[in-house]
Amino acid sequence: MLEPATRKGMHRMKPTDTAAGGRRMVDGWPVADEPLPADPMLRLAYYARLAPSSHNSQPWKFLVGQGEIDLLVDETRWLRVADHDRRELFVSLGCALESMRIAADYAGFGSRVEYFPVAGSDTLVARLQIEFAGPKREFAAASLLEHAVTRRTSHKPFDPALAVGEDARKSLYACYDEAGVSLHFLAEDRRAMQWLAELEREADRALFADPAYREELAAWIGEGLLGTPWLISKIAQFAVGHLPVAERVAQDDADRVSSAPLVAVLSTRNDDPEDRVRAGAAYMRIALMAESRGLRVQPVSQALEVEATRTGVARLFDLRERCVQHLFRIGHAEAERGPHRRRPLKDLVIRETGPAIGTGNG
Ligand SMILES: Cc1cc2nc3c(=O)[nH]c(=O)nc-3n(C[C@H](O)[C@H](O)[C@H](O)COP(=O)(O)O)c2cc1C
């Protein structure tokens, strides 16, 4: 097994140190909001916990065993109204799965995935097998791990005058390799961007017209996981539940879309849960690659949550028979600050078996 602390360029680091960019490192690993566990298997889950998820719902559980992690859906955290077909749920789980694999790449472990290993059940999303001394996966992405602790979804308007250059676009394009998943860009076409902004506005109006949608959104805002302080969350929860805020939200969302120099969509040939998980894995890599290049990313989900606008998005990107899985804008803005708002790792790990393997000064 290659020990994380002996990775190239890190061997002289003290157990706790600060890397370039102000990242806190322990034992050669980037640290987020919680102490880093010593057990390498728990370390994989540690980074999965930082993955993006719709409404920051974190709809996952990790069954950690000897050389194996089962990634499970936490049904209680599924957005039943906004995400009635569970597309966003599986995309979110794909982000968590890929985070674990990137952490395994970083440790020098091999990893293999079995998708939906129990026939007829889509609660067990993936079984991740870790080969501590095994060959690394073919398309490893160890260098993306350090960005997992600084990556944030951007909610700011982007600077429309600052393009995402050809070179950056190529690196986003080249950073993932998922069976059946394609990436399409929409750039430098103001009319198309305006059309997309209109689709987002139309979707917001349709969604806010549904009391069940407002109630669900208000409940998640009230949980305080969406990045707002407690009091603001409570006020926002009340506003979404009781006040006519739809037009304001629709306008803000449309403005954010039209400010983007680049919009991207991930699509798949089929529309099975596995396709969605794979689209999520691709998004995870793209978001981390964007972060590594100082680019900001924000998913644009509302336009995909309403059938008519989702069809409009597919037409705009000329996707024909392909299935739209995830839409997001990319551009330049100030970095988002503030703490990670994540549930503690101990609440996400169902079972820990076996002794800590290898080293670590958590
Ligand atoms: C499938 C999916 C859909 C999302 N949709 C949106 C969205 O429509 N608008 C938005 O601002 N963020 C969206 N997000 C981002 C989450 O809100 C974000 O990941 C979560 O709040 C955690 O914050 P972080 O990404 O900054 O760590 C989405 C994320 C995923 C994985």
Side-chain angles (χ1 to χ4, degrees), residues 93-106:
L93 280 140
C95 292
L97 177 63
E98 181 59 21
S99 296
M100 289 196 279
R101 298 198 80 186
I102 290 171
D105 295 341
Y106 189 83

Side-chain angles (χ1 to χ4, degrees), residues 79-155:
L79 311 170
R80 285 159 201 275
V81 183
D83 183 34
H84 57 90
D85 64 356
R86 312 214 293 174
R87 179 182 46 78
E88 291 174 26
L89 178 81
F90 289 125
V91 169
S92 302
L93 280 140
C95 292
L97 177 63
E98 181 59 21
S99 296
M100 289 196 279
R101 298 198 80 186
I102 290 171
D105 295 341
Y106 189 83
F109 303 153
S111 68
R112 274 189 300 124
V113 177
E114 220 185 316
Y115 296 91
F116 299 95
V118 176
S121 161
D122 53 17
T123 300
L124 174 52
V125 169
R127 175 158 294 154
L128 180 66
Q129 270 153 359
I130 299 301
E131 292 154 349
F132 295 104
K136 280 187 236 171
R137 64 174 170 159
E138 214 175 292
F139 199 56
S143 64
L144 292 181
L145 186 78
E146 62 181 293
H147 306 290
V149 296
T150 52
R151 182 211 58 80
R152 293 288 195 292
T153 299
S154 177
H155 301 279

Side-chain angles (χ1 to χ4, degrees), residues 7-319:
R7 290 182 56 79
K8 197 172 169 230
M10 292 179 177
H11 57 285
R12 269 191 241 107
M13 266 187 166
K14 290 190 233 80
T16 302
D17 217 330
T18 304
R23 278 180 284 275
R24 210 163 65 79
M25 307 289 283
V26 167
D27 192 19
W29 289 75
V31 182
D33 53 340
E34 271 197 15
L36 187 74
D39 180 337
M41 295 299 282
L42 288 181
R43 281 191 182 176
L44 307 189
Y46 178 87
Y47 293 101
R49 183 184 153 264
L50 303 177
S53 59
S54 56
H55 287 14
N56 203 14
S57 51
Q58 306 166 59
W60 41 61
K61 290 270 184 190
F62 308 99
L63 183 60
V64 179
Q66 290 274 21
E68 203 170 84
I69 299 181
D70 280 352
L71 174 64
L72 300 149
V73 171
D74 181 346
E75 290 276 343
T76 63
R77 306 184 74 84
W78 164 37
L79 311 170
R80 285 159 201 275
V81 183
D83 183 34
H84 57 90
D85 64 356
R86 312 214 293 174
R87 179 182 46 78
E88 291 174 26
L89 178 81
F90 289 125
V91 169
S92 302
L93 280 140
C95 292
L97 177 63
E98 181 59 21
S99 296
M100 289 196 279
R101 298 198 80 186
I102 290 171
D105 295 341
Y106 189 83
F109 303 153
S111 68
R112 274 189 300 124
V113 177
E114 220 185 316
Y115 296 91
F116 299 95
V118 176
S121 161
D122 53 17
T123 300
L124 174 52
V125 169
R127 175 158 294 154
L128 180 66
Q129 270 153 359
I130 299 301
E131 292 154 349
F132 295 104
K136 280 187 236 171
R137 64 174 170 159
E138 214 175 292
F139 199 56
S143 64
L144 292 181
L145 186 78
E146 62 181 293
H147 306 290
V149 296
T150 52
R151 182 211 58 80
R152 293 288 195 292
T153 299
S154 177
H155 301 279
K156 298 184 179 6
F158 292 164
D159 186 339
L162 281 182
V164 176
E166 185 64 25
D167 188 44
R169 266 188 257 172
K170 276 191 187 145
S171 69
L172 298 177
Y173 205 85
C175 77
Y176 78 96
D177 179 23
E178 280 294 325
V181 181
S182 294
L183 175 66
H184 299 256
F185 289 133
L186 194 64
E188 290 149 21
D189 181 345
R190 292 324 303 166
R191 272 185 59 196
M193 225 60 106
Q194 283 305 336
W195 184 11
L196 189 61
E198 281 315 309
L199 290 172
E200 180 72 350
R201 187 200 306 275
E202 199 181 314
D204 270 326
R205 284 180 179 146
L207 291 166
F208 271 84
D210 178 358
Y213 176 86
R214 291 204 308 274
E215 200 180 308
E216 183 180 74
L217 179 60
W220 282 100
I221 291 174
E223 274 228 349
L225 290 170
L226 284 173
T228 40
W230 182 85
L231 183 61
I232 307 283
S233 293
K234 289 297 160 197
I235 294 168
Q237 179 184 22
F238 179 79
V240 167
H242 298 91
L243 304 176
V245 292
E247 272 312 307
R248 176 70 198 279
V249 173
Q251 184 63 46
D252 286 353
D253 284 350
D255 287 347
R256 275 196 285 258
V257 170
S258 58
S259 77
L262 184 66
V263 178
V265 75
L266 286 163
S267 67
T268 52
R269 205 172 308 126
N270 301 312
D271 200 13
D272 295 328
E274 181 178 329
D275 297 301
R276 297 162 176 191
V277 173
R278 285 184 180 276
Y283 177 66
M284 189 71 251
R285 281 191 179 226
I286 292 166
L288 293 176
M289 177 58 79
E291 175 73 16
S292 77
R293 303 196 62 121
L295 292 166
R296 311 294 163 219
V297 178
Q298 183 188 28
V300 180
S301 290
Q302 287 80 351
L304 304 187
E305 288 169 357
V306 174
E307 195 54 45
T309 52
R310 189 172 173 181
T311 307
V313 171
R315 262 199 224 116
L316 187 62
F317 282 85
D318 196 18
L319 295 182

